Amino acid sequence: MGSCGKDGGCPSDYIAVAISLLCFILLLIKATLPFLVHKVPRPKGSGFWIPVIQVFASLNLLLSIVMSINFLKFKKKHWWQSCYLWAVWVEGPLGFGLLLSCRIVQAFQLYYIFVKRRLPPIRSYFFLPTILLPWIAGAALLHKKKRLNERCHLVTRWIIPVVFLHTTYVAALVGFTVAIRHIEFRFHELKDLWRGILVSTTSVGLWVTAYILNEIHDDIAWLQVTSRFLLLIMASILVLAFFSMSSSQPLLSKMSLRKREATEFETMGRALGIPDSGLLLQQEPAPDIDPNEPLDKLLLNKRFRQSFMAFADSCLAGESVHFYDEVHELAKIPVNDPVRRIYMARHIIEKYVMAGATMEVNISHRNRQEILATPDLAHPDLFHNALNELLQLMKMVGSE
């Protein structure tokens, strides 16, 4: 115990490493299940890359703890085992700091979308690096000043600034979460945020306690072994509890919870409980259709809309009819239900309106910007002008 307590390689160390590996595999399954099981197209924008960055940061956090606290015993020292590489850079800006920053970005998005009722004024790819700057600056300062001892531990007087940095980010996450606590979310976003706050706070507390005990009783081998075992286990729980797709991709999070029941929440309309949403049932009677009626009247008929959608898809212009269909579903949500209207509007914007969307519709720059800059995502006429423009396009497709 005495030798492995200092140099690593105790049986409990390998058990902890095995548990952390298992937790990371579970995290990968949780992140990829909707795509592998339900064959969901890969989303674009922050809805995809923020969860990917969370997985990357989780791996870095676990690896940094394993490499910097002597879990594995190496026969000789290598350059890539540097304390400053793992304990400063990988664990800080690329690990725990990156994880916290991703969750703050998601909470920031939820605050603007559901409280302010508009899209965030700062794009995620700019906001995330900005709030990560204090971690990068802190890591650079620690590296320059060489403030780690031979055991990869911080010297005592640097503990308070480092703990302050951690708690400041947790406090920022708490602030955004409190600001949205009154919203009646439909996909467990608030619960996921509170769970992440609880686990991250516990992790910081455990890290501080373990550090103090190891500094006071650095001659007690079992204490060192036990504390690093608990640290890695807690970090493994953290990466599982911290990861969430509900904020970025709510429909995918619902699918992943339902395993193989893909048909139950095939569309956002179904997930939100919009009446008469989804595909037609075979036993539904076919209503009489007058082909002389205007296209906008004909599209109100669900069976005609489904048939026209299939025709438009074959002409490589199906996104316009799909857009019309989902805007039609949005209109079924009462105006006095802004939360569900915002969910549906956000889904439509991300799928059809944003540049590079999976089914980006061909509308003018003016109409696109009018939607993206809207001061009220729950407004009943949010897509009115874009819909009129696309109706003209669909009439041209239908006449050919």
Side-chain angles (χ1 to χ4, degrees):
M1 175 69 78
S3 176
C4 72
K6 181 180 179 181
D7 301 328
C10 294
S12 61
D13 293 335
Y14 291 108
I15 292 173
V17 171
I19 293 173
S20 67
L21 179 61
L22 175 62
C23 287
F24 184 73
I25 292 172
L26 291 175
L27 174 63
L28 285 178
I29 293 173
K30 185 178 180 181
T32 58
L33 186 65
F35 303 98
L36 297 177
V37 175
H38 308 305
K39 309 300 181 184
V40 178
R42 182 179 71 82
K44 296 184 179 181
S46 63
F48 173 75
W49 62 260
I50 285 185
V52 169
I53 291 176
Q54 284 183 288
V55 173
F56 171 73
S58 300
L59 175 62
N60 287 339
L61 179 61
L62 295 178
L63 271 177
S64 66
I65 294 175
V66 170
M67 296 301 299
S68 63
I69 317 183
N70 294 333
F71 275 88
L72 305 177
K73 187 174 183 178
F74 296 93
K75 293 183 178 180
K76 60 180 182 178
K77 199 76 171 176
H78 302 277
W79 67 267
W80 46 265
Q81 294 174 252
S82 167
C83 286
Y84 291 94
L85 172 63
W86 296 104
V88 174
W89 290 101
V90 179
E91 186 174 350
L94 299 177
F96 192 72
L98 189 55
L99 267 180
L100 276 174
S101 298
C102 285
R103 293 303 274 151
I104 290 173
V105 169
Q106 290 176 326
F108 173 79
Q109 290 176 333
L110 291 175
Y111 172 75
Y112 262 91
I113 291 170
F114 288 97
V115 178
K116 297 290 188 178
R117 295 191 182 183
R118 54 193 176 94
L119 296 177
I122 306 175
R123 301 298 295 269
S124 300
Y125 60 76
F126 179 77
F127 186 50
L128 179 59
T130 301
I131 61 175
L132 196 60
L133 285 177
W135 289 90
I136 297 173
L141 186 61
L142 284 173
H143 198 156
K144 182 180 179 181
K145 298 289 186 180
K146 303 295 182 184
R147 297 307 182 187
L148 298 182
N149 59 27
E150 67 280 357
R151 291 179 296 159
C152 282
H153 291 176
L154 280 169
V155 295
T156 306
R157 66 175 177 272
W158 281 80
I159 285 294
I160 293 178
V162 170
V163 172
F164 177 77
L165 180 63
H166 285 68
T167 54
T168 298
Y169 276 66
V170 174
L173 185 57
V174 171
F176 280 118
T177 305
V178 169
I180 62 175
R181 71 188 186 282
H182 62 284
I183 302 295
E184 295 181 5
F185 290 105
R186 303 295 294 260
F187 298 93
H188 310 296
E189 292 95 331
L190 192 63
K191 187 176 92 172
D192 289 348
L193 284 172
W194 282 123
R195 184 182 63 210
I197 289 169
L198 176 63
V199 178
S200 59
T201 304
T202 306
S203 299
V204 174
L206 181 62
W207 177 76
V208 173
T209 304
Y211 175 83
I212 293 173
L213 289 176
N214 275 279
E215 288 300 306
I216 296 175
H217 304 288
D218 59 348
D219 57 332
I220 304 178
W222 69 265
L223 180 61
Q224 296 182 35
V225 174
T226 303
S227 62
R228 68 178 179 234
F229 177 86
L230 293 176
L231 272 177
L232 186 54
I233 296 300
M234 192 66 210
S236 302
I237 296 172
L238 170 69
V239 299
L240 274 178
F242 224 60
F243 181 81
S244 172
M245 296 183 70
S246 61
S247 301
S248 302
Q249 287 291 322
L251 189 57
L252 290 187
S253 71
K254 205 74 172 180
M255 287 182 177
S256 64
L257 290 173
R258 294 283 177 164
K259 303 292 183 183
R260 293 183 177 273
E261 299 174 19
T263 55
E264 184 173 355
F265 297 111
E266 188 174 343
T267 65
M268 180 60 78
R270 287 188 178 187
L272 293 175
I274 297 175
D276 196 30
S277 178
L279 297 175
L280 285 167
L281 299 176
Q282 294 298 323
Q283 62 267 27
E284 289 184 11
D288 294 331
I289 296 176
D290 183 0
N292 296 318
E293 288 186 344
L295 181 62
D296 53 343
K297 294 268 182 76
L298 290 172
L299 285 171
L300 295 176
N301 181 283
K302 190 173 184 180
R303 186 175 293 275
F304 176 84
R305 194 164 65 249
Q306 296 275 327
S307 300
F308 190 69
M309 192 182 300
F311 167 72
D313 282 337
S314 68
C315 298
L316 303 179
E319 64 276 355
S320 299
V321 192
H322 287 277
F323 175 79
Y324 181 96
D325 187 57
E326 301 226 45
V327 173
H328 183 74
E329 298 291 307
L330 170 63
K332 297 178 183 178
I333 305 175
V335 178
N336 60 358
D337 189 357
V339 173
R340 283 203 303 164
R341 290 189 65 85
I342 290 172
Y343 268 119
M344 195 67 188
R346 178 195 183 189
H347 166 74
I348 293 171
I349 290 171
E350 291 180 347
K351 187 175 180 180
Y352 300 100
V353 179
M354 285 187 169
T358 52
M359 296 187 72
E360 183 181 353
V361 290
N362 184 20
I363 57 176
S364 65
H365 176 76
R366 179 180 176 181
N367 284 335
R368 194 183 305 277
Q369 288 305 118
E370 181 182 40
I371 295 171
L372 296 178
T374 179
D376 185 7
L377 286 169
H379 197 282
D381 294 326
L382 176 61
F383 300 104
H384 178 74
N385 292 334
L387 204 57
N388 286 338
E389 182 180 347
L390 288 173
L391 274 172
Q392 299 303 318
L393 177 63
M394 287 188 284
K395 287 178 183 178
M396 293 173 59
V397 173
S399 62
E400 292 178 358

